[in-house]
Amino acid sequence: MNMPSGQNDPNANPCIRNCCLDQQDICLGCFRHLDEILAWRAMSDVERQACFARMAQRKAEVQAKRSGVNRTLDSE
């Protein structure tokens, strides 16, 4: 999974058109929370950069969980 395009351009929308919210209202495509998606247009550049950092953290957490599940399944 690649980081959404625009990480270096705070004006770029990180949506990758793979929209599906999990139980915590996090998009499984771009890793933004629903509140962040709705507020994106009104965010300042600084707020968007902070959002990109949260998205990267969420993505890393999801990948770590997936890796842990795969390791558990491989060891069975």
Side-chain angles (χ1 to χ4, degrees):
M1 226 183 293
N2 294 329
M3 191 65 219
S5 62
Q7 185 171 358
N8 296 322
D9 178 3
N11 294 313
N13 190 319
C15 180
I16 61 169
R17 309 287 189 256
N18 187 19
C19 306
C20 182
L21 299 177
D22 67 9
Q23 294 86 359
Q24 290 79 36
D25 287 338
I26 302 295
C27 177
L28 300 176
C30 69
F31 298 97
R32 286 184 291 174
H33 187 274
L34 179 59
D35 293 338
E36 294 167 334
I37 294 168
L38 295 173
W40 185 259
R41 295 178 127 223
M43 286 183 184
S44 69
D45 289 352
V46 171
E47 291 169 323
R48 288 180 180 179
Q49 286 299 325
C51 185
F52 274 115
R54 289 188 299 273
M55 292 160 50
Q57 178 63 37
R58 291 177 188 134
K59 178 181 175 183
E61 290 170 3
V62 167
Q63 289 177 328
K65 285 180 187 177
R66 287 180 185 161
S67 294
V69 168
N70 290 339
R71 279 189 224 131
T72 302
L73 293 175
D74 291 341
S75 64
E76 291 179 0

